[in-house]
Amino acid sequence: MTGSPIPRVVLAYGLLGLIPFLAPPLIGLVLPGCRAPAATILAFYAALILSFLGGARWGLAVDHPVPDSKIVSRAMLPTVAGLALLLAPDRVRLPGLAAALALHWLWDIRSAGLPAWYPGLRSVLTAGAVLGLAAGTVLLA
C-alpha cells in the first residue's frame, strides 16, 4: 500500500503513539480495579489523536495561498466528533472513537496530495488504535 518507505522518525513516533491505545486495556485486564480510569484515559487519548489528525489536515489545507474551504471545514469535524464522543454514554464512547478513527483513515487513504508513504503509515497506526479501542470496549466495560 505504501508508495515509498515510511520515514523512520515518523514510523518510530507513530508506533510509540500506539502505547496509550494498547496499555489501558492491558492495565484493566491485570488490575480490574483500574478499569474505569483506564477507559477514561483511553477515550481521552483517542479523542486527542482524532483532533490531531484533523489539525494535520487543517494545516495542510491552510498552507495554500487560497485554502479549500471544504477541506478546512472537514478538518474541523474530527475535533468536534472527539469532543462529542467524550460526552457520549460509556457504551458508545470507545466504539464511537474507533469508528471515527476508521473514517478518518478512509479519508486519508483516498486523498490526493499526501506523501506516498502516508497511507501505509495511517493503515498501521489506525489498525493499532482500533485494536486498542476494541480491546478497551471488551476489557474495560
Side-chain angles (χ1 to χ4, degrees):
M1 178 175 270
T2 59
S4 63
I6 300 167
R8 289 167 71 149
V9 68
V10 173
L11 181 59
Y13 279 115
L15 293 174
L16 287 171
L18 290 177
I19 293 170
F21 280 111
L22 302 173
L26 292 174
I27 290 168
L29 185 63
V30 174
L31 302 169
C34 293
R35 286 183 180 154
T40 299
I41 290 167
L42 179 57
F44 273 83
Y45 185 70
L48 284 171
I49 293 302
L50 193 56
S51 184
F52 172 82
L53 292 170
R57 278 307 188 106
W58 190 87
L60 287 172
V62 300
D63 190 38
H64 294 86
V66 180
D68 183 332
S69 62
K70 290 178 193 168
I71 294 175
V72 171
S73 297
R74 280 186 220 134
M76 297 305 299
L77 293 176
T79 300
V80 174
L83 178 60
L85 286 163
L86 286 177
L87 300 172
D90 289 346
R91 70 183 186 288
V92 175
R93 189 173 300 132
L94 296 181
L97 286 161
L101 286 167
L103 286 172
H104 204 290
W105 169 77
L106 282 174
W107 181 24
D108 284 343
I109 66 165
R110 294 179 178 196
S111 296
L114 297 172
W117 49 263
Y118 195 70
L121 174 73
R122 289 288 294 117
S123 294
V124 168
L125 298 181
T126 300
V130 169
L131 174 68
L133 288 161
T137 298
V138 172
L139 297 173
L140 302 175

